[in-house]
Amino acid sequence: MADNTFDSLNGYFVHTLFKAENYMVAKFKTEEGTIIVTGPAFDYDPKSEYVLSGNYVEHPKYGLQFKMATIERALPSRKSDIISFLSSKSFKGIGKKAAQKIYEAYGDDTFAILKSDPDLIFSLDLTDKQINSLLEGLKQLDDPHNEIIFHLISHGFTNSEAGRIFNRFELATLEVGQNNPFSFYNDVYGISFEKVKEYAKTIDFNDPDLKYKESFLIYLLTDYFFNTGDTYIVFEKFIELLKRYGPYEEFIPAFEKCISDEYLTKDGENIYLTSDFNDEKYIAHFLCKEKGELLLTDESIEEGIISNENALGIEYDENQKQAIRSFFRNDISIIIGGPGTGKTTIVKTMVNIFKEYFPFSNLIVVAPTGRAAKRINEICDCESKTIHSLLKWDKESNTFVHNEDEPIIYDAVIIDEFSMVDNSLFASLLKAGNNIKKICIIGDNNQLPSIRPGNLLSDLIDCGIFETITLKANYRQNKGSEIIELASDIINGEIDLNRFKKDVFYYDHLNSENELLDFIKEDLNNGYTLGDIQVLSPMYRGPLGIDNLNLMLQNAFNPPGYGKAQKKIGQVIYRLDDKILQLKNRPSDDVYNGDIGILEDIDDKENSLMVNFDGNYVFYTSEEYQEISLAYAMSVHKAQGSEYPIVYFVINPNNFRMLNRNLIYTAISRGKNKLVIIGNGSLFISGTKNMMERRKTGLKEKLQHER
């Protein structure tokens, strides 16, 4: 245990001066006067007395302050406070007269006496309702949840992190932390390893070096797999990685403990996070099970195709017909194709035929993003949701309500924009899909793979087990669309940017930042809106990085003005009417990673923002500000799954290492009507020849082994 000597302070929080995710500055009133306190952020009750421990510090600018180390709620011990508290909402049904009666019986030690012997309550002249209220209120005072949350917050965890830890371990939280504080990182989603490491320094526990190294290995490999996209690392490479942090032999006992505790799995010479290994194993087993249901004869399929062609006034090409046939001939089918190849159109016919021939079975179309799900819903007469909303995701625990024990009730699932789906999400869908008999996977294998580890779509195609139909012809845009031609050129490796004159525009460099603004102003003068125009960049830093572009575009098209509210959050100023980008899935509010809205309200009193996502109004408190950013410019990954009338793709020499064919193809195919490429043309072309290194995954082999 660390040897710290703390001062103590009793009083009431009266006003918050500043509050961030895990830090706040507030005024605190004591008997001696008001003092500024700093420390971990939490939601205090201004009517409750608190006991703070910590140290007095002299700030060079703001003078004497009290730096909090721990926080506890104090019980009232003065007559006026006891009567006021007993007649508050904490004790419903007890008014001032009853509170006075209770105080007269036990005086300043009322709460200490009643907590030690609650049966004394029955000797008081109170109604049954008042007795029950007093008993329930005293129970709440002893609620260990508050004690545990305060303990975690006072040791640097945010409200959200403390809640996650408590939800995982409940009343055993402090005992778990005392035995192995690194369990807070190993077993709880979304907890900072660095914070746990600092917390561990305050505790004496057995085998600290071994437990630290075990947790460090989990942290190291989690970070490695996130950065590489791999799901495993070869043991020899793993040893090389360890040598950066000391003699690798010192980590072997911790590595063996990771294996025995099932945090890591060693499969031959390959090392996995056990969760990733189990996801691959489950996917392979599920997809290779023979189902043989919900199949149609060739005659019925052809009748359905002809009927829908007549009803919709269209004629499918042979590739599209093959895709529809594959869906009804197989348990698992895969359809791939670039933008405008008619993927959504055939989904409409697949849904119609399914409804006609299987009226007592149900089908749902899902997608990884809200935009894709909404697009399907608008075109096809069928139920369509994001995968997260279908499974009812709880973001605090990173778990789903629907799982193997609480399955979804669907017989067939069509999954759109599948290139964005990762192994973990797909495995979760399959675990909740015990009743699923038919799956159709639709995507574009030339786009970027999922952000999380895995190479799911390519693995399913390359294993050679599932029939895969490739759509080639372009239908969505007018024949000869230059954007579609450029996408095709990128895949074929033959690019001449100078030949495009109508839909694709190329500028070798910017003479000034104002030149980009002039291009966009011209689009606005031609009837487009800022919502129609999206600037994409591969990098966040640098003159043409996302951060600087957002600042430049905001100042040009939504500048500060008299009466226009704005709020500084971190280094970013948000103004009314700003374009706002959602950074995380939030299914409870029907808003998802990559959605774009407009900032319509800034409430300084409540310290909140309100963003309008196409009529869906979402509120953000201070703890949720990290879920948003400005959206005038954004990364290619964030734009994936969306389309915009006009796309500006900005590159510069600093981007070179990030440029590859998948990223460039994904960026340019976001544009529907107009694409503007700004940057070095030779870098652009050489980038299209730079193939992404194939991610190291074990799913393909597991699929082939299952079959």
Side-chain angles (χ1 to χ4, degrees):
M1 182 80 68
D3 182 20
N4 291 322
T5 302
F6 290 128
D7 295 310
S8 182
L9 205 62
N10 285 57
Y12 300 82
F13 287 96
V14 292
H15 180 60
T16 301
L17 300 172
F18 171 80
K19 187 177 182 182
E21 182 185 5
N22 55 7
Y23 179 77
M24 76 175 183
V25 180
K27 287 185 178 180
F28 190 76
K29 187 176 181 181
T30 71
E31 289 185 349
E32 289 76 29
T34 301
I35 188 171
I36 301 298
V37 298
T38 65
F42 76 107
D43 298 323
Y44 58 79
D45 179 357
K47 294 181 180 179
S48 294
E49 184 180 6
Y50 290 90
V51 180
L52 313 182
S53 71
N55 299 110
Y56 290 95
V57 295
E58 188 70 30
H59 191 281
K61 183 176 181 181
Y62 300 110
L64 186 66
Q65 298 181 345
F66 189 82
K67 184 177 181 182
M68 295 184 285
T70 65
I71 311 156
E72 292 181 14
R73 194 192 301 265
L75 291 176
S77 59
R78 295 181 303 183
K79 179 179 178 179
S80 59
D81 292 338
I82 292 171
I83 292 173
S84 176
F85 188 40
L86 284 171
S87 57
S88 71
K89 292 180 181 178
S90 297
F91 298 89
K92 293 179 181 177
I94 296 180
K96 292 232 169 163
K97 284 186 179 180
Q100 176 79 27
K101 192 183 299 182
I102 296 168
Y103 176 79
E104 287 173 355
Y106 301 112
D108 290 346
D109 295 325
T110 291
F111 287 107
I113 291 170
L114 292 181
K115 282 177 66 180
S116 64
D117 190 0
D119 288 341
L120 291 173
I121 293 171
F122 295 101
S123 65
L124 294 167
D125 183 19
L126 300 173
T127 66
D128 289 344
K129 182 178 180 181
Q130 289 171 333
I131 287 173
N132 290 332
S133 177
L134 189 53
L135 286 168
E136 187 59 35
L138 288 173
K139 276 185 190 176
Q140 293 299 318
L141 293 179
D142 277 334
D143 184 1
H145 170 267
N146 291 331
E147 179 187 345
I148 293 169
I149 294 296
F150 279 142
H151 170 82
L152 294 172
I153 288 174
S154 68
H155 283 82
F157 296 101
T158 65
N159 276 322
S160 176
E161 290 170 334
R164 286 186 194 135
I165 293 170
F166 181 84
N167 288 339
R168 173 63 178 82
F169 300 112
E170 298 183 331
L171 298 182
T173 297
L174 298 184
E175 184 180 350
V176 169
Q178 187 66 48
N179 177 58
N180 182 6
F182 290 102
S183 296
F184 293 170
Y185 174 78
N186 301 346
D187 300 322
V188 185
Y189 163 75
I191 304 299
S192 163
F193 176 73
E194 292 301 323
K195 283 187 183 178
V196 174
K197 189 167 73 170
E198 290 303 309
Y199 176 70
K201 292 177 181 177
T202 68
I203 297 172
D204 286 326
F205 57 101
N206 294 329
D207 299 322
D209 186 64
L210 178 64
K211 289 171 181 175
Y212 163 73
K213 285 178 178 173
E214 178 185 29
S215 193
F216 175 74
L217 291 182
I218 299 168
Y219 166 76
L220 181 67
L221 288 179
T222 300
D223 186 62
Y224 176 83
F225 292 140
F226 180 81
N227 289 325
T228 62
D230 299 340
T231 61
Y232 69 80
I233 182 172
V234 177
F235 187 71
E236 185 178 345
K237 176 95 174 176
F238 176 58
I239 295 299
E240 290 178 15
L241 190 62
L242 288 181
K243 287 179 180 178
R244 301 177 190 175
Y245 304 95
Y248 78 89
E249 294 88 354
E250 294 181 2
F251 290 94
I252 296 304
F255 172 67
E256 291 172 348
K257 185 165 174 54
C258 281
I259 299 292
S260 64
D261 288 345
E262 298 185 350
Y263 292 119
L264 300 181
T265 294
K266 191 169 188 290
D267 183 36
E269 290 298 303
N270 300 334
I271 311 300
Y272 291 80
L273 291 173
T274 296
S275 57
D276 290 341
F277 179 81
N278 289 341
D279 286 339
E280 288 187 348
K281 200 171 178 181
Y282 192 92
I283 292 168
H285 179 69
F286 187 101
L287 295 183
C288 290
K289 286 190 300 185
E290 293 286 346
K291 300 170 187 67
E293 300 181 50
L294 301 179
L295 306 179
L296 288 180
T297 64
D298 290 347
E299 183 180 2
S300 296
I301 298 171
E302 297 310 314
E303 286 178 359
I305 291 174
I306 293 170
S307 173
N308 276 270
E309 284 181 324
N310 292 334
L312 299 174
I314 59 176
E315 184 176 347
Y316 290 120
D317 67 26
E318 187 56 30
N319 273 139
Q320 291 175 309
K321 290 178 182 178
Q322 281 294 100
I324 297 169
R325 292 172 190 140
S326 180
F327 175 59
F328 289 105
R329 287 173 178 167
N330 300 289
D331 296 331
I332 312 294
S333 56
I334 301 174
I335 302 169
I336 57 175
T341 53
K343 297 189 294 292
T344 306
T345 306
I346 64 169
V347 170
K348 184 176 180 67
T349 290
M350 287 157 57
V351 169
N352 291 342
I353 295 174
F354 187 92
K355 286 182 177 180
E356 180 180 353
Y357 286 94
F358 304 110
F360 301 108
S361 297
N362 54 1
L363 174 148
I364 187 169
V365 182
V366 296
T369 68
R371 290 97 64 209
K374 183 181 289 187
R375 186 174 68 245
I376 289 286
N377 194 260
E378 292 169 350
I379 296 174
C380 306
D381 181 22
C382 68
E383 188 177 7
S384 178
K385 293 182 177 181
T386 65
I387 300 174
H388 284 84
S389 60
L390 171 65
L391 301 182
K392 296 184 179 177
W393 181 56
D394 178 1
K395 72 174 183 178
E396 286 302 311
S397 63
N398 194 35
T399 59
F400 296 98
V401 171
H402 289 295
N403 50 38
E404 290 167 290
D405 298 321
E406 294 287 337
I408 54 175
I409 311 300
Y410 289 95
D411 302 292
V413 176
I414 298 173
I415 311 170
D416 195 21
E417 293 287 356
F418 196 78
S419 63
M420 299 176 66
V421 178
D422 60 73
N423 288 6
S424 177
L425 183 58
F426 190 44
S428 296
L429 176 61
L430 299 182
K431 287 174 185 175
N434 294 334
N435 302 302
I436 296 174
K437 305 170 184 68
K438 182 181 288 294
I439 297 174
C440 180
I441 289 163
I442 301 176
D444 185 348
N445 60 320
N446 290 303
Q447 289 190 29
L448 289 165
S450 62
I451 292 180
R452 292 197 60 189
N455 203 26
L456 186 55
L457 180 57
S458 293
D459 283 343
L460 295 181
I461 295 170
D462 295 344
C463 74
I465 296 171
F466 312 111
E467 184 173 21
T468 301
I469 306 299
T470 303
L471 303 178
K472 297 176 181 177
N474 171 46
Y475 294 94
R476 185 181 60 209
Q477 295 174 284
N478 293 330
K479 195 171 182 180
S481 161
E482 290 183 347
I483 297 175
I484 297 298
E485 287 180 35
L486 177 57
S488 178
D489 288 351
I490 289 172
I491 293 170
N492 295 327
E494 299 176 357
I495 304 168
D496 178 6
L497 291 174
N498 294 312
R499 76 181 182 88
F500 299 115
K501 307 294 182 186
K502 182 168 64 74
D503 307 320
V504 176
F505 301 89
Y506 161 61
Y507 299 95
D508 189 55
H509 63 278
L510 287 177
N511 292 320
S512 69
E513 293 179 349
N514 289 332
E515 195 170 6
L516 173 61
L517 301 180
D518 290 340
F519 292 151
I520 294 175
K521 286 174 185 175
E522 185 178 344
D523 293 328
L524 297 176
N525 291 335
N526 288 332
Y528 288 100
T529 67
L530 280 176
D532 297 325
I533 302 165
Q534 190 57 55
V535 178
L536 303 179
S537 174
M539 294 182 67
Y540 280 88
R541 296 179 179 178
L544 294 177
I546 294 164
D547 293 336
N548 195 55
L549 286 169
N550 264 319
L551 180 62
M552 180 178 73
L553 294 166
Q554 180 196 45
N555 287 335
F557 299 111
N558 191 28
Y562 179 76
K564 174 165 279 194
Q566 63 181 39
K567 185 178 186 66
K568 186 173 183 181
I569 301 173
Q571 299 301 311
V572 180
I573 293 175
Y574 291 88
R575 295 192 189 101
L576 288 182
D577 304 323
D578 270 338
K579 282 178 70 174
I580 299 296
L581 175 67
Q582 178 70 21
L583 302 175
K584 297 182 179 180
N585 289 323
R586 195 167 163 173
S588 58
D589 288 314
D590 195 28
V591 61
Y592 298 90
N593 183 3
D595 285 352
I596 294 177
I598 301 297
L599 180 58
E600 291 200 357
D601 185 56
I602 298 174
D603 190 330
D604 285 324
K605 186 177 180 181
E606 295 295 329
N607 199 16
S608 67
L609 308 176
M610 183 184 75
V611 180
N612 179 4
F613 292 92
D614 293 328
N616 177 27
Y617 294 89
V618 179
F619 290 85
Y620 298 84
T621 61
S622 58
E623 280 204 345
E624 297 163 330
Y625 290 159
Q626 75 274 13
E627 294 185 7
I628 60 173
S629 69
L630 294 175
Y632 299 99
M634 61 197 293
S635 70
V636 180
H637 271 106
K638 291 294 182 187
Q640 195 170 0
S642 296
E643 296 170 336
Y644 313 94
I646 299 176
V647 164
Y648 283 81
F649 182 43
V650 182
I651 58 176
N652 64 55
N654 294 328
N655 300 153
F656 179 68
R657 290 187 177 182
M658 299 189 66
L659 292 179
N660 59 66
R661 193 182 78 170
N662 299 79
L663 183 139
I664 293 173
Y665 173 89
T666 303
I668 66 103
S669 60
R670 299 309 91 204
K672 291 177 67 176
N673 303 333
K674 177 181 176 182
L675 169 68
V676 182
I677 300 167
I678 298 174
N680 188 301
S682 61
L683 284 183
F684 180 91
I685 293 172
S686 61
T688 64
K689 296 176 181 177
N690 181 20
M691 303 297 292
M692 284 185 68
E693 185 177 346
R694 184 177 177 87
R695 294 177 170 184
K696 295 180 178 64
T697 65
L699 179 58
K700 175 182 171 182
E701 288 72 21
K702 289 181 178 67
L703 285 161
Q704 292 169 336
H705 182 264
E706 283 282 344
R707 185 49 63 103

